[in-house]
Amino acid sequence: MSKNPIVKGKLVCVALNDAEQFNAMQAEFAEAPYKGAPQQPVLYFKPHNTWSTDGAVVEWAQVDGSPAEQMVVGASLAVVFGKECCRVSEAEALDYVEGYTLVHDFSLVEQNYYRPDIKGKCLDTSAPIGTDVVAVADPQALTVVTSVNGTVVNETPVSQLVRGVAELISTISYIMTLQPGDVIAVGFPGQRAPVAPGDKVHSMIDGVTELNNTLGQ
């Protein structure tokens, strides 16, 4: 277990990896502009300005100089790399992992997934990352549970993601080299929870780790 700053390079997030959401969107995928379901993981980055920590206050978003009308939050299991990972097989993918933690992704409401939502995803302090990096024998057996003000709003079993942890590591390692300190957030709930200023958001993987944040006023 490590309490050092987690991300040292890049934070890569996987969208549309909730199987329930992915299956529900099949009719939408058949229409323009998609004209077909994604054949590869849908990725986006949370740049350095978004990074935050456990216990931190997350800034309420500003849109064109005014407070945003609404924000949403999702939580994901996060894979932290301990050594360079480039073009690895699915069978060897987990050998490159130092451990696991949690990521919160606070964002504006996403309208579609055809193009990256830069404005909605790159908000300052919007990606708190857990302090602890914990070794786990089987990440597919984990479930991420998120509460807002003490009420459970999402439960996301990793086993129900479209693409599992090892498959994602292998696929992404063919797209980009993953360095020690890089992080992949493997999948967020398709129905992200609405939040309001002052809300307290708590996510946990029972017996592994937890993450707590408060929305700024």
Side-chain angles (χ1 to χ4, degrees), residues 158-203:
V158 177
S159 62
Q160 293 182 21
L161 297 179
V162 176
R163 295 178 174 87
V165 174
E167 179 184 350
L168 283 171
I169 292 171
S170 176
T171 300
I172 294 171
S173 79
Y174 276 85
I175 299 171
M176 66 189 83
T177 298
L178 297 157
Q179 301 287 352
D182 286 351
V183 175
I184 297 175
V186 298
F188 298 89
Q191 293 297 321
R192 300 201 181 197
V195 287
D199 280 354
K200 297 184 183 300
V201 179
H202 170 78
S203 293

Side-chain angles (χ1 to χ4, degrees), residues 114-201:
Y114 187 65
R115 297 187 186 282
D117 182 13
I118 301 298
K119 180 182 288 188
K121 293 298 187 185
C122 295
L123 305 169
D124 289 348
T125 73
S126 63
I129 303 162
T131 305
D132 298 332
V133 178
V134 182
V136 173
D138 181 11
Q140 293 298 123
L142 303 177
T143 297
V144 179
V145 180
T146 300
S147 301
V148 177
N149 299 326
T151 300
V152 173
V153 293
N154 282 122
E155 295 188 32
T156 307
V158 177
S159 62
Q160 293 182 21
L161 297 179
V162 176
R163 295 178 174 87
V165 174
E167 179 184 350
L168 283 171
I169 292 171
S170 176
T171 300
I172 294 171
S173 79
Y174 276 85
I175 299 171
M176 66 189 83
T177 298
L178 297 157
Q179 301 287 352
D182 286 351
V183 175
I184 297 175
V186 298
F188 298 89
Q191 293 297 321
R192 300 201 181 197
V195 287
D199 280 354
K200 297 184 183 300
V201 179

